[in-house]
């Protein structure tokens, strides 16, 4: 029997665009027919092939950022990927809050972190902390629709995080949670991404007095900007300045620096994620920095 011809990314997108009757805008839940699956940016009633989409989430006609990420993965890989239990490791988020007013600060962050990691190591990367890192030197390239949309390439990382997904279904009177197998689960990509971010954070933590850190962004004293930029580049990443000037830090996702102010307001106590051990940071950096520098076009130092 002849093998079926692989479905391309473009064919997946075209099929999705023609599969449903689409209404732009998310209605009240009470207006939905029973059996509608309720997501953050899309409500889908499979029996009637009706779909409601948040216009802000679209990256193409009738296609959300998450749709584009799923189409790419389905077209490019045999899902679900086989992975071992020992590859599922704890991977904390780098977070630090030092509440207060700091007169001359900058917010520096890593450019396109998730895109850079996916392009450097591929979705099918094999990784176990302090043991091995194995990847295809020529990973499947991201299609432009994914590569040019931050929410789309970030969705690839987000979908890789958990073996199970929680699906919300409207019964007609309430939302019911259903636990399903997540075919996009990729613990190696998830752990590698978090460990790389933790590695950068660890070196930032020990080299500078951080005022604030969240995932791939840092508020630091302006005097440390050049050294911090060089440190980020030593991992192979490029960086950018998100804001500069007097900084007021109140909590996670709650700060103002220069003219940039978060919409979220709130207070939280001072705290910091525990840094990685020096041995782990050295082991990881030697393996990821050369490859990331190729992708970013950075001279690895």
């Amino acid at each position: 029997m002849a093998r079926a011809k692989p479905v391309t990314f473009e064919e997946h997108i075209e099929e999705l665009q023609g599969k449903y009757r689409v209404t732009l805008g998310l209605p009240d839940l009470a207006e939905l027919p029973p059996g509608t699956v309720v997501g953050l940016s899309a409500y889908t009633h499979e029996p009637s092939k009706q779909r409601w989409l948040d216009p802000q989430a679209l990256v193409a006609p009738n296609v959300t950022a998450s749709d584009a990420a799923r189409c790419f993965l389905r077209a490019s890989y045999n899902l679900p990927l086989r992975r071992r239990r020992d590859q599922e490791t704890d991977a904390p988020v780098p977070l630090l809050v030092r509440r207060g007013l700091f007169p001359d600060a900058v917010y520096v962050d890593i450019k396109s972190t998730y895109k850079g990691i996916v392009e450097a190591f591929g979705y099918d990367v094999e990784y176990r902390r302090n043991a091995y890192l194995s990847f295809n030197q020529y990973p499947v390239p991201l299609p432009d629709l994914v590569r040019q949309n931050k929410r789309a390439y970030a969705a690839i990382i987000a979908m890789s995080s958990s073996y199970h997904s929680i699906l919300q279904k409207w019964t007609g009177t309430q939302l019911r949670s259903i636990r399903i197998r997540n075919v996009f689960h990729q613990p190696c990509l998830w752990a590698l991404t978090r460990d790389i971010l933790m590695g950068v954070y660890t070196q930032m933590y020990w080299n500078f007095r951080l005022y604030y850190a969240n995932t791939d962004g840092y508020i630091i004293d302006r005097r440390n900007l050049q050294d911090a930029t060089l440190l980020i580049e030593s991992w192979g990443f490029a960086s950018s300045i998100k804001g500069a000037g007097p900084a007021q830090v109140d909590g996670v996702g709650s700060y103002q620096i220069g003219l940039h102010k978060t919409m979220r307001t709130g207070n939280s106590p001072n705290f910091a994620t525990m840094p990685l051990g020096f041995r782990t940071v050295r082991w990881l950096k030697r393996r990821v920095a050369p490859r990331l520098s190729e992708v970013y076009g950075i001279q690895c130092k």
Side-chain angles (χ1 to χ4, degrees):
M1 180 183 295
R3 296 181 64 180
K5 182 181 177 182
V7 181
T8 67
F9 170 75
E10 291 76 16
E11 288 169 337
H12 275 291
I13 291 291
E14 186 177 354
E15 179 185 3
L16 178 63
Q17 288 175 321
K19 185 177 181 180
Y20 298 98
R21 291 182 293 110
V22 171
T23 300
L24 295 183
L26 302 179
D28 292 338
L29 296 181
E31 300 176 24
L32 298 173
T36 300
V37 174
V38 175
L40 293 176
S41 57
Y43 300 167
T44 306
H45 187 248
E46 200 63 43
S48 66
K49 300 299 178 187
Q50 176 68 45
R51 209 168 187 227
W52 297 263
L53 302 177
D54 178 359
Q56 301 295 323
L58 298 184
V59 296
N62 299 349
V63 177
T64 68
S66 295
D67 289 334
R70 285 189 287 265
C71 287
F72 163 67
L73 294 176
R74 289 191 173 110
S76 305
Y77 300 94
N78 185 17
L79 303 174
L81 297 182
R82 290 187 177 183
R83 291 295 180 264
R84 299 194 309 270
R85 287 280 183 173
D86 64 9
Q87 292 171 322
E88 299 183 29
T89 58
D90 291 334
V93 180
L95 290 172
L96 181 144
V97 169
R98 191 187 305 274
R99 295 182 60 206
L101 177 63
F102 308 101
D104 193 16
V106 291
Y107 191 120
V108 57
D109 71 342
I110 300 171
K111 283 186 178 180
S112 306
T113 313
Y114 294 150
K115 179 175 67 174
I117 291 173
V118 172
E119 289 188 318
F121 305 107
Y123 173 75
D124 55 351
V125 62
E126 291 272 4
Y127 173 71
R128 186 181 176 195
R129 184 190 295 173
N130 290 329
Y132 53 80
L133 171 61
S134 176
F135 57 92
N136 187 338
Q137 290 290 328
Y138 303 98
V140 179
L142 296 176
D144 287 343
L145 188 60
V146 175
R147 192 175 187 278
Q148 295 172 2
N149 288 279
K150 181 176 181 178
R151 287 173 299 172
Y153 58 72
I156 295 174
I157 303 292
M159 290 189 298
S160 73
S161 65
S162 176
Y163 184 84
H164 290 103
S165 295
I166 303 299
L167 181 148
Q168 300 280 322
K169 185 172 283 191
W170 178 246
T171 67
T173 58
Q174 63 181 356
L175 282 174
R176 183 163 64 95
S177 296
I178 303 172
R179 198 180 189 205
I180 61 172
R181 169 73 189 279
N182 174 22
V183 298
F184 304 106
H185 180 226
Q186 213 309 36
C188 292
L189 177 61
W190 179 252
L192 176 62
T193 300
R194 289 295 184 89
D195 279 1
I196 290 173
L197 291 172
M198 279 297 299
V200 178
Y201 164 80
T202 297
Q203 291 199 308
M204 294 286 286
Y205 179 93
W206 290 117
N207 282 279
F208 312 112
R209 188 170 187 265
L210 301 180
Y211 302 145
Y212 179 83
N214 190 343
T215 311
D216 58 358
Y218 304 88
I219 297 179
I220 58 175
D221 191 285
R222 188 192 295 268
R223 291 172 298 181
N224 297 137
L225 175 59
Q226 183 176 3
D227 289 338
T229 299
L230 291 174
L231 191 153
I232 290 171
E233 288 180 357
S234 75
W235 281 84
F237 287 116
S239 63
S240 63
I241 304 302
K242 191 174 180 179
Q248 174 73 45
V249 177
D250 296 317
V252 177
S254 179
Y255 60 84
Q256 180 173 358
I257 179 165
L259 299 176
H260 179 78
K261 184 177 182 180
T262 60
M263 295 183 64
R264 183 178 182 273
T265 58
N267 295 315
S268 62
N270 292 342
F271 70 92
T273 303
M274 184 68 68
L276 291 176
F278 292 127
R279 175 179 173 272
T280 296
V281 173
R282 286 195 301 269
W283 181 91
L284 181 62
K285 189 173 185 177
R286 283 199 304 267
R287 287 160 176 79
V288 303
R291 179 61 183 153
L292 286 168
S293 67
E294 290 180 32
V295 169
Y296 279 88
I298 296 292
Q299 174 119 28
C300 195
K301 300 171 183 175

